[in-house]
Amino acid sequence: MDKEKVQEVLNMLRPYLQADGGDVELIDVTSEGVVQVRLQGACGTCPSSTYTLKMGIEEQLKQYIPGVTEVISV
């Protein structure tokens, strides 16, 4: 899986996260298609961070990049 493509999609999503005082950092992409990220700023402590991770970031990555199976926070 192309880590650069994952980073491009995250860069598209970044302004929405930053508007709420947060951000996302790409940690790794496994050969099984699991994208590992770290939510930062307000997103790291927000009670809705799981929703942001799964329904926001994961759904967008799956839409743009075939082969992404899951997004997890590390």
Side-chain angles (χ1 to χ4, degrees):
M1 176 146 330
D2 188 355
K3 200 171 180 177
E4 285 184 29
K5 282 189 168 194
V6 172
Q7 187 63 60
E8 286 177 21
V9 175
L10 291 177
N11 288 341
M12 289 179 4
L13 301 174
R14 185 165 274 118
Y16 301 104
L17 298 170
Q18 290 173 340
D20 288 327
D23 208 344
V24 63
E25 174 188 5
L26 177 60
I27 303 300
D28 197 16
V29 179
T30 70
S31 58
E32 293 84 23
V34 177
V35 177
Q36 300 173 347
V37 299
R38 179 174 296 126
L39 294 175
Q40 300 176 325
C43 289
T45 58
C46 176
S48 299
S49 63
T50 301
Y51 180 81
T52 299
L53 185 70
K54 293 295 181 181
M55 301 308 290
I57 297 171
E58 183 175 291
E59 288 302 314
Q60 290 298 307
L61 284 171
K62 284 180 174 180
Q63 179 180 350
Y64 285 100
I65 305 171
V68 170
T69 58
E70 184 180 18
V71 177
I72 60 170
S73 180
V74 294

